[in-house]
Amino acid sequence: MKIYILEDEINIMKYIISIVDKIPHCEIVGYSDEIAIAKTDIPRLNPDVVLADIELKDGDSFTLFSSMEKIDFQILFVTAFNEFAIKALNIGAVGYLLKPIDENEFKEQLNKCFKKNQEYKVFENQISISKQQYHLENEIAPKLILKCSDFIQIVEMKDIMYCKSDKGYTTFYFQDGSSTMVSKVLKEYESIMPSQTFLRCHQSFLINVNFMKKYFREGILQMKDGYKIPVSDRKKAELMNYFQ
């Protein structure tokens, strides 16, 4: 389990390191005594747990974590002030340790973090296996059921050129020139259509890559039926990777 330490009291930093070094399944990947450094270190080092003092010389760690776009690690606060406990837990911390740090309590908290981390990895693995199994089954029977107001249509996924979302409705466009509208959002279909074939190139469009004809570098994709579809800025790189 990878650990990052944010602490500006050198003696406490050394004490924390000495305890962590005794635990076989824990590894310190970085440490700092400044929030400004931690802000760039943490996303780069990708720790599983951040041990953070709350009040540091250049600010407080509540502000640091609140400013981060993504928190995919566990937070364990270390503080001398009991008043911070509720606030710490309210932002999603695993827990907090009061200074002076009790070694046994510290190890107990780290073991709690380790157990939670292992459970998450098992969950991620199960999701990955399920997704692979779904796509395998979808390759064997690649059909989609479209439930409309007055009929149910069974379609071959390979015949879908692209899907367009508009105000809670999704319209499917097929290679024979026909189309079907259903009263469901595009996201529901995106999650069950194979990602190897269908790409969400824009908030309003899901395309079948087999029907792409031409890509204009300003961010416009032309399909085989001549229809032009916008590509969002954040999806341009993904589309270029496909062309590679």
Side-chain angles (χ1 to χ4, degrees), residues 131-180:
K131 187 175 181 180
Q132 291 173 10
Q133 182 63 28
Y134 170 78
H135 287 314
L136 179 62
E137 292 173 356
N138 206 35
E139 288 174 4
I140 298 170
K143 296 183 185 293
L144 192 65
I145 306 298
L146 303 180
K147 296 180 180 180
C148 305
S149 57
D150 51 355
F151 63 87
I152 295 175
Q153 184 174 353
I154 304 170
V155 302
E156 299 278 351
M157 287 196 189
K158 63 180 179 62
D159 293 333
I160 301 171
M161 289 196 298
Y162 51 90
C163 311
K164 182 180 180 181
S165 175
D166 184 31
K167 297 178 181 178
Y169 290 86
T170 299
T171 303
F172 290 79
Y173 295 86
F174 305 100
Q175 63 174 329
D176 64 1
S178 64
S179 63
T180 299

Side-chain angles (χ1 to χ4, degrees), residues 157-158 160-161 197-198 206-212 223:
M157 287 196 189
K158 63 180 179 62
I160 301 171
M161 289 196 298
T197 305
F198 290 90
L206 180 69
I207 64 162
N208 185 334
V209 295
N210 295 315
F211 288 97
M212 294 189 299
M223 305 301 286

Side-chain angles (χ1 to χ4, degrees), residues 7-18 101:
E7 172 61 66
D8 61 359
E9 294 184 51
I10 187 64
N11 290 333
I12 294 177
M13 172 84 78
K14 289 180 178 179
Y15 181 61
I16 289 173
I17 292 173
S18 70
I101 298 172

Side-chain angles (χ1 to χ4, degrees), residues 83-99:
E83 64 195 73
F84 288 125
I86 299 300
K87 189 173 181 181
L89 296 175
N90 280 342
I91 74 162
V94 175
Y96 69 96
L97 293 166
L98 290 176
K99 298 177 183 178

Side-chain angles (χ1 to χ4, degrees), residues 15-26 28 103 107:
Y15 181 61
I16 289 173
I17 292 173
S18 70
I19 296 174
V20 174
D21 283 343
K22 298 176 186 177
I23 305 173
H25 53 261
C26 291
I28 296 173
E103 182 173 346
K107 287 180 178 178

Side-chain angles (χ1 to χ4, degrees), residues 67-220:
S67 69
M68 299 182 76
E69 290 185 6
K70 182 175 67 170
I71 296 182
D72 52 1
F73 49 85
Q74 299 179 69
I75 303 170
L76 183 59
F77 283 108
V78 181
T79 178
F81 303 99
N82 206 358
E83 64 195 73
F84 288 125
I86 299 300
K87 189 173 181 181
L89 296 175
N90 280 342
I91 74 162
V94 175
Y96 69 96
L97 293 166
L98 290 176
K99 298 177 183 178
I101 298 172
D102 178 82
E103 182 173 346
N104 291 329
E105 184 183 354
F106 184 31
K107 287 180 178 178
E108 184 179 333
Q109 288 282 10
L110 285 182
N111 285 330
K112 179 181 175 182
C113 292
F114 178 73
K115 183 179 179 182
K116 188 173 181 179
N117 189 56
Q118 292 303 107
E119 288 173 351
Y120 179 73
K121 287 181 178 179
V122 170
F123 173 74
E124 270 194 324
N125 187 51
Q126 289 173 338
I127 291 294
S128 177
I129 292 172
S130 297
K131 187 175 181 180
Q132 291 173 10
Q133 182 63 28
Y134 170 78
H135 287 314
L136 179 62
E137 292 173 356
N138 206 35
E139 288 174 4
I140 298 170
K143 296 183 185 293
L144 192 65
I145 306 298
L146 303 180
K147 296 180 180 180
C148 305
S149 57
D150 51 355
F151 63 87
I152 295 175
Q153 184 174 353
I154 304 170
V155 302
E156 299 278 351
M157 287 196 189
K158 63 180 179 62
D159 293 333
I160 301 171
M161 289 196 298
Y162 51 90
C163 311
K164 182 180 180 181
S165 175
D166 184 31
K167 297 178 181 178
Y169 290 86
T170 299
T171 303
F172 290 79
Y173 295 86
F174 305 100
Q175 63 174 329
D176 64 1
S178 64
S179 63
T180 299
M181 178 185 286
V182 296
S183 58
K184 284 189 177 182
V185 295
L186 185 55
K187 187 175 182 180
E188 290 191 36
Y189 293 102
E190 180 188 8
S191 64
I192 62 174
M193 295 168 78
S195 58
Q196 307 98 309
T197 305
F198 290 90
L199 172 67
R200 186 76 175 266
C201 66
H202 187 273
Q203 183 178 357
S204 301
F205 289 94
L206 180 69
I207 64 162
N208 185 334
V209 295
N210 295 315
F211 288 97
M212 294 189 299
K213 182 179 181 180
K214 188 183 295 184
Y215 176 66
F216 298 91
R217 294 190 182 276
E218 64 266 29
I220 300 295

